[in-house]
Amino acid sequence: MTQKTTIAIVAVAGALAICALVTVVKHNATPVAKDSWFTVSSDGLAQLPAGLAVLRPTRRLHSSPKIRHTHDGDSLTRIMGRNTSFRDLMAEAYDCDPGNIVLPPGAPQGEFDFLVTKSPEPRQHLRDIIQRQLGYVAHHETRDTAVFKLQVADTRLSSFAISPKSEDDDITYTNGRLYFIHKPISLVVLGLEDGLGMPVLDETGMSNNYDFSMPWNSSSIHALQSGLFSEDRVKNVLATLGLGLASGTESMDMVIVEKKP
């Protein structure tokens, strides 16, 4: 074999190796997240590419936050969130209510979009990417915790209309009010936990889906996402709905968030 032939064989082998490497990289590369992926329904979420684990500052695609899931039987398979607070992001990653999250000083104040289609255990993949990109982890700890208790103050509850089972659920905004259609009282509880930054226990006994409304504006959105609701303002709004908010202390499983050194 001549020296030229040997050089030619080595060159061809090298070129084939490079082509193979490029093919593998292309095959394994994570697609760039499209804005449209964060606006899909749960059915649309199931159709997105597999193997994604995306966390980014929100693009503020919508004024209200949204989290969606897909399941295979009882197993969670995919999760997506848009315009979510850091508290809600950690609550989703550690599978707890937002009010059970204890944030450290200096925790991120902005909002986030996230998308995980990796399986199994998409929440573990979400925890991994939070630690990798933001440097935060969390652990469970049982402690005596200050809580609020949502209670019925006016048994007439004239602001709540029981929603027919056939009614589609929705949330709309008109003239400074949010209108909730076919929604459970648990939605109010979750909103209070976000806005007050504390656990809220539901002691209303209200077990139906309801149609109701409450005042809302851009300041309300910021306060909700930042945990800056005014307790007095919340109590005043709840009073118009026939509800009250009492303070208490409970021993609870809390999720303690900390920044990795």
Side-chain angles (χ1 to χ4, degrees):
M1 182 181 298
T2 66
Q3 184 178 10
K4 288 185 178 180
T5 302
T6 301
I7 293 173
I9 292 174
V10 170
V12 171
L16 290 175
I18 292 173
C19 288
L21 178 60
V22 169
T23 300
V24 169
V25 169
K26 285 184 177 180
H27 178 73
N28 292 325
T30 300
V32 175
K34 300 178 181 178
D35 287 349
S36 60
W37 290 353
F38 297 92
T39 65
V40 296
S41 64
S42 294
D43 289 341
L45 176 57
Q47 305 305 315
L48 296 183
L52 300 173
V54 178
L55 175 64
R56 70 182 194 182
T58 189
R59 303 287 177 85
R60 299 192 181 276
L61 301 171
H62 291 263
S63 59
S64 59
K66 178 74 71 175
I67 294 178
R68 297 194 186 279
H69 304 101
T70 63
H71 294 82
D72 182 4
D74 293 333
S75 299
L76 180 68
T77 56
R78 295 181 171 205
I79 50 179
M80 179 273 288
R82 67 174 185 242
N83 199 24
T84 62
S85 66
F86 182 66
R87 181 184 298 277
D88 281 353
L89 171 65
M90 296 304 291
E92 180 61 38
Y94 287 85
D95 193 19
C96 68
D97 290 336
N100 291 68
I101 293 288
V102 179
L103 296 177
Q109 296 297 308
E111 285 76 48
F112 298 89
D113 300 332
F114 60 87
L115 173 65
V116 181
T117 63
K118 281 188 175 182
S119 60
E121 299 185 9
R123 284 195 174 102
Q124 180 60 58
H125 291 295
L126 182 56
R127 293 194 290 270
D128 291 343
I129 197 171
I130 291 170
Q131 180 176 353
R132 187 165 63 251
Q133 290 188 203
L134 303 179
Y136 285 89
V137 296
H139 67 275
H140 290 262
E141 182 179 312
T142 300
R143 57 168 64 176
D144 289 338
T145 303
V147 301
F148 286 114
K149 300 178 181 182
L150 185 64
Q151 301 169 337
V152 172
D154 182 350
T155 55
R156 293 174 298 176
L157 291 173
S158 55
S159 296
F160 290 88
I162 295 178
S163 173
K165 291 183 179 179
S166 59
E167 190 173 36
D168 292 333
D169 68 300
D170 197 8
I171 301 176
T172 61
Y173 174 81
T174 304
N175 296 328
R177 295 189 72 84
L178 271 183
Y179 290 85
F180 299 86
I181 310 239
H182 197 72
K183 294 295 186 181
I185 198 67
S186 59
L187 187 68
V188 175
V189 172
L190 289 175
L192 291 174
E193 288 192 331
D194 267 350
L196 294 167
M198 288 175 54
V200 177
L201 308 183
D202 179 12
E203 296 186 348
T204 64
M206 299 169 66
S207 57
N208 295 297
N209 288 317
Y210 301 91
D211 299 340
F212 58 98
S213 70
M214 63 180 63
W216 199 254
N217 55 37
S218 58
S219 297
S220 303
I221 296 171
H222 174 72
L224 171 70
Q225 296 178 330
S226 304
L228 296 175
F229 273 177
S230 160
E231 183 178 336
D232 289 339
R233 172 64 174 159
V234 167
K235 288 181 176 179
N236 288 338
V237 171
L238 290 176
T240 67
L241 299 174
L243 301 174
L245 202 62
S247 301
T249 302
E250 298 283 339
S251 179
M252 299 186 68
D253 178 33
M254 305 297 288
V255 177
I256 316 302
V257 180
E258 55 189 351
K259 178 83 170 179
K260 292 289 288 184

